[in-house]
Amino acid sequence: MKDVPNILWLEEIRKEDISSVGGKGASLGEMASIGLPVPPAFVVTAQAFRRFLVETGLDQKIFKVSENIDVENNAALEKAAETIKALVIKAKMPSAIKDDVKASYKKMATKDLIVAVRSSATAEDLPDASFAGQQETYLNIRGEAALLSAVQNCWASLYGARAIYYRAKQGFEESTVNIAVVVQQLVHSEKAGVMFTSHPISGEPLTIIEGSWGLGEAVVSGSVSPDHYIFDQRTESIGEKTIANKKVEIIPDGSHGTKMVAVDAARQDAQVLSDAEVAKLAMYGKIAENHYGIPQDVEWGIVTGTIYILQSRPITTIGKKEAKGMSGQNKDAKILLKGQGAAPGIATGKVVIIRDAKDTGAVKEGDILVTRMTNPDMVPAMRKVAAIVTDEGGMTCHAAIVSRELGTPAVVGTKTGTQQLKNGQLVTVDGEMGLVYEGAVGGMAQAKAGAAVPAAPGGGAPIITATSVKVNVSIPEAAARAAATGADGVGLLRIEHLILGLNKTPGWFIANHKEEEFVKELYDGIKIVLDAFPGKTVWVRTLDAPTDEFRNMQGGESEPLEHNPMLGWRGIRRDLQSPDQFRLQVEAFKRLWKAGYEHLGVMFPMVSHPDQFIKAKEMMRGWGVDVENVTLGIMIEIPASAIMIEDFLRAGIKFASFGTNDLIQYTIAIDRNNENVADMYQPQHPAVLSLIHNSIQQCRAYGVECSICGQAGSDPKMAIWLVEHGITSISANIDAIAKIREAVAKTEKRIILEAARNRDAE
């Protein structure tokens, strides 16, 4: 456990502190540091939560309850979740943590300050794991006793059924997920809402702002259909304005909690934001987007004309739209409902109307879920359905955000969907146009959101680049979304989640004579991704899990205790010393090659000397692999492998890929998770760039593909530099593919144009 205090103040926090303060906490600290108007706050750290679990003995109790949960069994999942939450809530908070929370609360204000207490899970709001609403928020909290209770309830919410389900599906290891709690001065918003700094589907420079009266929870939850404003950043003007009928608002209730009340008649149809407020919000949004380098989903509130920025997270759903919706192609089709197109795609199915999350057991695969508004408890059901239709909500409500994450067509804000549609009725949903049609509309391709190949900005043909733009994949469930980006292949398929998700170490399978079960799990998971990318290269990285990740799994009892697991027994160095573990992985690869998946390439991580590559190759040969006719490569993560790249090329590698997250740390000796030096972590440090440049040139000289699959590959600025220096391919995160492809295309055109101009000048 890192030596991190129980409390961190906002001014101490930066985005690199996400492992201690979670997504919300890190984002608030980062926004405050660049001058955005963020209310004062402190964070009860994830390390405090972990101390709470250890000192109360809850860590072992929770593990026993959670280790065998079948998340697809709703009853079992709910029972386990309630059991764990009760354990957390009833446990006595250690006095040291309690005293620190009280002291910080007093420091924030001399008398009892009204605060918002927000959960901030350390796996939440990450670029590849953004999924709103997994843990709880408590508003209008006053006094020490109420604050301590709210903090403990936030901790308990980490084990809600929806949170456990989500983590299982995303491949997060249950026993290692922590939670921080943000305690922030409550802004008694007179009006509030959400802003997307760029269009959440197309990525166009259109700031979308939705707002209503009272606290922002009304907009986020979908309780109200908000006013809708579109601010065009290119013309710096409001391009579209829709004033909704706002019947309810959420306001503070006494000294604890909130309540929903009716909006007085005079304000129901009144415009929430002035044009000047729209423009100012858009300006703040642009500042946040420019700082983070990626479009943001921002929560805001306004009190007596003063704007406050309450939260910001990356938009992870940007992708190019489907081809046009149905409206122009089926003029005879009967439109039953109109709303806002929240997630593109077209789907036909039978209506199932859900009044309460408890009724979601009635939902079947392929149904059209119709409800007044969704909430996080409905996420398991939302995963099953072909489309989602809601009465309330806008582009920024829970239903819209989750639908785009899932790639499920959605129409929100129809107002009367639950009244007009009937259970079992056959309908067709157009999630782009915001329309629900009667029956099955013929001639329309049924497609999940984002299934189309990314188009060029403004429409037209897909962008073609000479530099391959590939995608990183962590879990098989993401394969369809990854393929829908139109990526040129998979530059990194991590198999850690496939193995860690089994909750048993490879050694456990070997010791219990269940090797075949392990190989089959690996084979099936990799096959899903290979099938999603027919004819396109898929590079699978062999197991690279540090010992601390294995330790909490069955079979992990004998894992060594390492002072710094990131520098320890992992990657190829462990596989070479654990031949049985390596053999099981190779057996899965061998079967896939035999089945005809010639586009599978295997990539060895953490290599520091060509001898390691040669030994791994010979071990594979001994297990029956035709090593000269399969694609084997290495990760360049250690400076030694970059410096010795020519020796690796002579040893016969067929590709190399930069793992920049480790390469940066190892080159400049900066642990990016260490708060004392994290601000010195520089992805474009001259030494790092020099290693990358030299490696690219050597690979080009030998005619070997050179790629990048670390986080830096998802940064357009870095992509431009890489193309300029001759890299063969770039592999980025799913949400970054469109912008990376555009940056690559522009750079390639500029290089060609400059070369032509230079020839003309001669």
Side-chain angles (χ1 to χ4, degrees):
M1 185 186 299
K2 293 198 311 179
D3 187 19
V4 175
N6 293 325
I7 302 294
L8 285 174
W9 287 87
L10 212 56
E11 53 267 28
E12 303 176 86
I13 296 168
R14 294 296 181 270
K15 61 179 181 289
E16 292 82 8
D17 297 314
I18 195 166
S19 62
S20 296
V21 299
K24 289 186 181 71
S27 178
L28 287 170
E30 195 70 19
M31 289 190 297
S33 74
I34 60 174
L36 289 173
V38 179
F42 65 86
V43 179
V44 184
T45 63
Q47 285 73 17
F49 168 70
R50 185 54 54 178
R51 290 174 189 126
F52 163 72
L53 292 184
V54 172
E55 291 181 29
T56 58
L58 281 175
D59 54 343
Q60 294 302 316
K61 294 178 183 177
I62 291 170
F63 179 73
K64 287 180 181 178
V65 176
S66 64
E67 62 178 334
N68 293 314
I69 297 176
D70 178 4
V71 296
E72 297 296 349
N73 183 327
N74 285 345
L77 176 62
E78 289 287 349
K79 182 179 179 181
E82 289 305 316
T83 300
I84 297 173
K85 286 196 293 183
L87 288 171
V88 175
I89 291 171
K90 290 176 183 176
K92 186 176 180 181
M93 186 184 295
S95 57
I97 300 174
K98 186 184 294 185
D99 291 344
D100 284 349
V101 173
K102 287 181 179 180
S104 300
Y105 183 52
K106 287 178 181 176
K107 183 179 177 182
M108 188 181 276
T110 52
K111 58 181 180 179
D112 286 350
L113 182 72
I114 298 175
V115 294
V117 182
R118 301 178 184 274
S119 302
S120 183
T122 56
E124 179 188 15
D125 298 341
L126 302 180
D128 58 350
S130 180
F131 214 107
Q134 294 301 322
Q135 282 77 47
E136 296 295 340
T137 288
Y138 298 92
L139 303 177
N140 198 36
I141 301 299
R142 184 202 297 267
E144 290 180 352
L147 172 58
L148 291 169
S149 176
V151 168
Q152 203 148 339
N153 277 296
C154 282
W155 288 346
S157 74
L158 184 65
Y159 302 104
R162 62 181 182 267
I164 294 172
Y165 182 93
Y166 172 70
R167 290 195 293 272
K169 289 300 182 180
Q170 293 296 315
F172 291 116
E173 181 62 24
E174 188 67 47
S175 61
T176 60
V177 175
N178 287 326
I179 188 170
V181 180
V182 177
V183 179
Q184 186 172 38
Q185 180 179 335
L186 181 68
V187 174
H188 288 275
S189 304
E190 297 162 355
K191 43 193 174 183
V194 181
M195 163 173 56
F196 287 151
T197 63
S198 292
H199 196 287
I201 297 172
S202 68
E204 292 177 272
L206 301 172
T207 301
I208 296 178
I209 302 172
E210 293 188 332
S212 191
W213 304 116
L215 300 176
E217 271 60 30
V219 177
V220 174
S221 67
S223 302
V224 64
S225 294
D227 284 3
H228 183 87
Y229 310 87
I230 297 181
F231 186 86
D232 193 326
Q233 298 165 15
R234 295 162 294 197
T235 61
E236 296 189 350
S237 62
I238 299 174
E240 185 180 318
K241 186 188 302 182
T242 303
I243 309 305
N245 177 254
K246 301 163 287 291
K247 290 185 172 64
V248 296
E249 63 181 320
I250 295 176
I251 62 173
D253 183 15
S255 61
H256 189 95
T258 61
K259 61 183 178 180
M260 185 179 293
V261 299
V263 174
D264 56 272
R267 290 187 299 142
Q268 283 190 10
D269 295 309
Q271 181 172 324
V272 170
L273 294 174
S274 68
D275 290 359
E277 287 172 330
V278 171
K280 193 167 186 179
L281 276 168
M283 178 191 72
Y284 284 148
K286 195 63 182 173
I287 291 172
E289 180 175 314
N290 288 341
H291 176 72
Y292 286 109
I294 183 173
Q296 297 289 297
D297 169 358
V298 178
E299 292 182 25
W300 54 268
I302 299 178
V303 183
T304 60
T306 301
I307 295 175
Y308 291 94
I309 302 300
L310 308 177
Q311 185 178 325
S312 183
R313 63 167 69 89
I315 299 175
T316 61
T317 54
I318 290 178
K320 302 304 176 180
K321 293 184 179 179
E322 289 277 324
K324 294 295 181 183
M326 302 184 301
S327 58
Q329 303 178 43
N330 281 268
K331 295 180 180 178
D332 296 332
K334 182 180 178 181
I335 297 174
L336 299 177
L337 290 169
K338 293 182 180 180
Q340 284 187 273
I346 297 165
T348 297
K350 291 182 179 180
V351 168
V352 57
I353 297 175
I354 299 299
R355 310 285 181 187
D356 188 279
K358 295 177 182 177
D359 302 328
T360 55
V363 173
K364 297 181 178 64
E365 292 282 346
D367 281 344
I368 306 296
L369 190 157
V370 180
T371 187
R372 188 173 73 84
M373 58 183 173
T374 65
N375 60 52
D377 291 309
M378 294 184 183
V379 170
M382 294 169 74
R383 285 183 173 274
K384 297 180 182 179
V385 298
I388 295 166
V389 178
T390 69
D391 291 351
E392 302 292 346
M395 287 286 285
T396 55
C397 72
H398 178 268
I401 292 172
V402 173
S403 296
R404 289 192 291 268
E405 283 278 338
L406 296 175
T408 301
V411 177
V412 300
T414 64
K415 301 191 183 301
T416 58
T418 55
Q419 299 168 34
Q420 287 191 239
L421 302 180
K422 306 298 180 186
N423 276 312
Q425 182 179 5
L426 189 68
V427 298
T428 298
V429 176
D430 184 339
E432 179 181 342
M433 304 304 291
L435 300 172
V436 179
Y437 293 85
E438 184 177 48
V441 179
M444 294 299 108
Q446 304 294 303
K448 285 270 190 173
V453 174
I463 299 174
I464 305 298
T465 58
T467 307
S468 295
V469 178
K470 301 180 181 180
V471 64
N472 300 330
V473 178
S474 295
I475 54 176
E477 292 90 336
R481 282 191 62 227
T485 64
D488 298 319
V490 176
L492 169 63
L493 172 56
R494 305 174 179 94
I495 63 171
E496 285 77 48
H497 286 304
L498 285 172
I499 295 173
L500 297 176
L502 301 174
N503 202 31
K504 302 177 182 71
T505 66
W508 182 93
F509 287 93
I510 295 165
N512 288 276
H513 309 292
K514 294 185 180 291
E515 293 97 333
E516 182 59 30
E517 182 181 328
F518 178 89
V519 172
K520 187 176 186 306
E521 288 282 351
L522 209 55
Y523 177 95
D524 290 344
I526 297 171
K527 182 177 181 295
I528 290 171
V529 182
L530 289 165
D531 286 339
F533 289 85
K536 297 180 178 180
T537 57
V538 174
W539 291 345
V540 178
R541 185 177 69 187
T542 55
L543 183 59
D544 190 22
T547 52
D548 56 338
E549 292 185 8
F550 273 152
R551 197 174 304 120
N552 293 319
M553 299 165 64
Q554 290 186 54
E557 301 82 6
S558 60
E559 288 293 309
L561 288 170
E562 296 183 310
H563 177 66
N564 189 339
M566 294 301 289
L567 290 173
W569 202 39
R570 53 176 285 215
I572 194 64
R573 56 181 70 166
R574 177 168 183 151
D575 274 348
L576 294 179
Q577 294 177 16
S578 308
D580 285 339
Q581 173 180 295
F582 188 30
R583 176 179 53 80
L584 294 184
Q585 297 172 68
V586 172
E587 179 61 28
F589 304 149
K590 189 168 70 169
R591 293 182 188 181
L592 288 162
W593 281 318
K594 186 177 180 180
Y597 291 101
E598 296 179 356
H599 54 303
L600 164 66
V602 172
M603 180 161 57
F604 301 126
M606 293 296 289
V607 293
S608 57
H609 194 284
D611 287 351
Q612 294 171 319
F613 173 76
I614 293 168
K615 184 176 179 181
K617 189 174 176 180
E618 289 308 307
M619 289 171 75
M620 292 178 75
R621 190 196 305 275
W623 292 321
V625 175
D626 182 4
V627 291
E628 303 307 328
N629 290 304
V630 295
T631 306
L632 304 178
I634 62 165
M635 296 277 289
I636 302 178
E637 302 167 285
I638 301 174
S641 59
I643 293 168
M644 299 181 70
I645 186 61
E646 189 169 8
D647 295 299
F648 280 101
L649 291 162
R650 288 173 180 155
I653 63 170
K654 294 187 179 177
F655 67 89
S657 185
F658 298 106
T660 52
N661 299 352
D662 280 338
L663 183 61
I664 295 161
Q665 292 187 105
Y666 301 154
T667 301
I668 57 178
I670 296 296
D671 176 1
R672 60 196 176 114
N673 292 322
N674 182 329
E675 65 276 7
N676 297 311
V677 294
D679 59 345
M680 304 176 195
Y681 183 84
Q682 299 177 48
Q684 297 192 35
H685 188 286
V688 176
L689 296 182
S690 177
L691 290 172
I692 293 174
H693 170 80
N694 292 337
S695 298
I696 291 173
Q697 304 315 309
Q698 289 286 353
C699 286
R700 287 175 64 86
Y702 278 77
V704 167
E705 181 171 357
C706 188
S707 188
I708 183 172
C709 59
Q711 185 62 34
S714 297
D715 179 357
K717 293 179 182 176
M718 186 66 174
I720 291 169
W721 184 90
L722 290 165
V723 173
E724 290 173 341
H725 288 253
I727 201 159
T728 319
S729 64
I730 295 174
S731 192
N733 298 332
I734 294 173
D735 61 290
I737 294 297
K739 66 181 181 182
I740 294 301
R741 191 178 290 281
E742 187 173 348
V744 169
K746 287 181 178 179
T747 306
E748 290 178 345
K749 289 177 182 177
R750 176 173 53 78
I751 291 171
I752 293 169
L753 181 60
E754 289 175 354
R757 285 173 174 167
N758 290 336
R759 285 197 303 270
D760 291 342
E762 293 172 0

